Amino acid sequence: MTIRIILPLLLTALALPARADSYALPKNPAFEEECASCHIAYPPQMLHADSWREMMGGLSRHFGSDASLDEKRRSAITDFLVAHSGGRKTGDTRDARGKPLLRITETARFNRKHVEIDAATWKRASIKSPANCTACHAQAAAGDYNERSIRIPK
Amino acid sequence: MRYLLIVAAVLFAAGARAEVPRDFLSRFEKEAGVAASAERGARFFSTRQGGEWSCASCHTEKPTQAGRHAKTEKAITPLAPAANAERFTDAAKVDKWFRRNCNDTLNRLCSAQEKADVMAWLLSLK
């Protein structure tokens, strides 16, 4: 009797660390079309709502590129990102002065998760930049950042 | 019968709204007031125009093949209509991408003549 309760609990606990790095990507055609044409669809959960608001307010200079949108789409996508933004799991994504971080790669969670990756690895031609999730997380576009899906290229 | 009529009407309306690539060549030529030159378009496409990138930095010098985003590495489907039937079939998309990409490569919007030239060249590719 007890085993029937304990076993599922045990299995769930074992599965937790893997599941912790999976992000359910909520379906949103506008988000996919506008945000995932130049880069993968970064999970909205990876940043705080304030970070998304700040980012969506500066799209004409989006990390050096013009990613401007018409106002209707811009506000619809902002609402979507805010609604699915990082909660307890992602934590706060602000810098020391309280300013919202715009780069996922600068967040505490990202750095904690990548602490064993040295500077030379990031610079490999096959990786290029910490923002290139897919280089190592082959299934990143589907929200899968699990440990077992990682393959760091030479 | 009524159902068929509705389907026909919807198809007709959709067909009337969608653009074909040649429409953009005519539109930009008309706006520019001069005839487009595919040769000028080819040069414009593959040469840097003041910015860090040229069109070819992402779309390659042979846009019948797939490109790659110069910064993010994300794959870009071919730009030339001969290789990709989805290209230049939606005015809102065409205007949006010319706006963004001209700002990225020229630090300004493209003139109607520049767009007409690029269209003429892209349409000449087989």
Side-chain angles (χ1 to χ4, degrees):
Chain A
M1 187 61 203
T2 15
I3 190 86
R4 273 164 79 185
I5 297 166
I6 288 172
L7 195 64
L9 279 177
L10 201 67
L11 288 173
T12 311
L14 278 172
L16 271 181
R19 276 180 54 205
D21 291 314
S22 264
Y23 296 83
L25 285 183
K27 276 270 159 219
N28 185 296
F31 168 68
E32 278 157 44
E33 186 185 333
E34 302 298 351
C35 306
S37 42
C38 295
H39 52 68
I40 64 154
Y42 296 113
Q45 298 94 324
M46 286 189 176
L47 285 177
H48 190 274
D50 288 346
S51 296
W52 289 125
R53 283 195 198 95
E54 179 99 359
M55 191 178 312
M56 295 301 286
L59 284 182
S60 58
R61 295 185 60 181
H62 183 66
F63 304 108
S65 283
D66 183 343
S68 56
L69 288 172
D70 64 77
E71 183 48 32
K72 206 175 138 208
R73 275 220 142 165
R74 193 196 67 80
S75 82
I77 294 173
T78 307
D79 290 348
F80 163 78
L81 290 168
V82 166
H84 297 281
S85 59
R88 197 160 52 95
K89 193 165 95 176
T90 307
D92 204 1
T93 57
R94 292 160 204 268
D95 67 14
R97 284 171 304 162
K99 217 177 161 309
L101 290 168
L102 300 187
R103 291 179 193 274
I104 292 164
T105 54
E106 287 176 357
T107 61
R109 180 180 169 86
F110 181 95
N111 287 301
R112 197 171 61 243
K113 290 279 181 182
H114 295 88
V115 74
E116 73 273 32
I117 310 294
D118 58 48
T121 308
W122 290 123
K123 289 197 192 104
R124 283 179 196 166
S126 52
I127 297 176
K128 236 180 132 178
S129 137
N132 187 9
C133 307
T134 317
C136 305
H137 303 272
Q139 307 303 319
D144 173 2
Y145 292 81
N146 288 315
E147 199 83 31
R148 61 171 168 272
S149 318
I150 301 174
R151 248 196 64 217
I152 300 173
K154 291 283 163 228
Chain B
M1 185 60 198
R2 214 170 123 200
Y3 173 73
L4 269 178
L5 274 176
I6 292 168
V7 169
V10 167
L11 282 176
F12 179 78
R17 232 188 9 250
E19 281 88 11
V20 296
R22 294 227 158 255
D23 295 344
F24 294 99
L25 175 61
S26 341
R27 184 185 122 194
F28 297 138
E29 266 187 327
K30 208 173 137 202
E31 281 173 29
V34 287
S37 152
E39 205 183 308
R40 231 172 18 223
R43 230 179 3 252
F44 178 85
F45 195 90
S46 55
T47 332
R48 280 169 56 182
Q49 305 287 327
E52 195 187 330
W53 297 334
S54 70
C55 312
S57 303
C58 295
H59 293 292
T60 82
E61 297 202 0
K62 204 170 161 274
T64 46
Q65 61 189 20
R68 196 165 281 281
H69 194 285
K71 193 166 172 185
T72 68
E73 303 268 295
K74 178 148 174 138
I76 299 172
T77 56
L79 184 61
N84 185 353
E86 278 182 35
R87 293 295 191 177
F88 303 99
T89 54
D90 177 337
K93 269 192 193 170
V94 169
D95 291 338
K96 177 181 77 186
W97 285 106
F98 266 124
R99 180 185 75 233
R100 290 175 170 181
N101 294 354
C102 291
N103 269 332
D104 283 347
T105 49
L106 289 78
N107 300 315
R108 61 165 171 83
L109 295 178
C110 292
S111 69
Q113 193 194 320
E114 286 163 341
K115 289 190 275 191
D117 290 347
V118 166
M119 280 314 302
W121 179 60
L122 289 176
L123 283 162
S124 75
L125 300 175
K126 297 277 174 277

